[in-house]
Amino acid sequence: MAGPITLSARGRKVNGINTVRLTWSGATSTNVDVYRNGMVIVTTANDGLYIDSTGDTGRARYTYKVCEAGTQACSNNARVTFR
């Protein structure tokens, strides 16, 4: 049985845009679903890295999780706040 997926998220501004670097380990599927604030934003290769350019520029708070694609086998929630 696969172990838990561990997710970390770090935010920074890139050209004024709120951008979040997600890194994870423990997923075993070929692809993972990346969730932002409860919605799938992308299905991407399970390579342990995804950069989310949110399109937002102001104050914001995001909650992320990564799941084995198409399943409910998910990571911890990782929160990022832009002030």
Side-chain angles (χ1 to χ4, degrees), residues 6-82:
T6 304
L7 174 66
S8 64
R10 223 174 328 176
R12 67 187 185 107
K13 297 274 191 182
V14 176
N15 297 324
I17 304 293
N18 297 347
T19 303
V20 180
R21 177 186 172 97
L22 301 172
T23 54
W24 66 89
S25 62
T28 58
S29 57
T30 303
N31 295 311
V32 295
D33 294 328
V34 177
Y35 287 77
R36 183 198 319 133
N37 297 341
M39 304 284 295
V40 175
I41 56 168
V42 69
T43 299
T44 188
N46 178 18
D47 59 7
L49 174 66
Y50 181 73
I51 307 292
D52 180 29
S53 181
T54 66
D56 298 332
T57 57
R59 291 182 179 189
R61 182 175 296 143
Y62 307 105
T63 302
Y64 291 92
K65 69 180 177 181
V66 172
C67 302
E68 307 273 4
T71 76
Q72 294 301 310
C74 299
S75 70
N76 56 292
N77 287 331
R79 291 181 178 83
V80 177
T81 301
F82 288 89

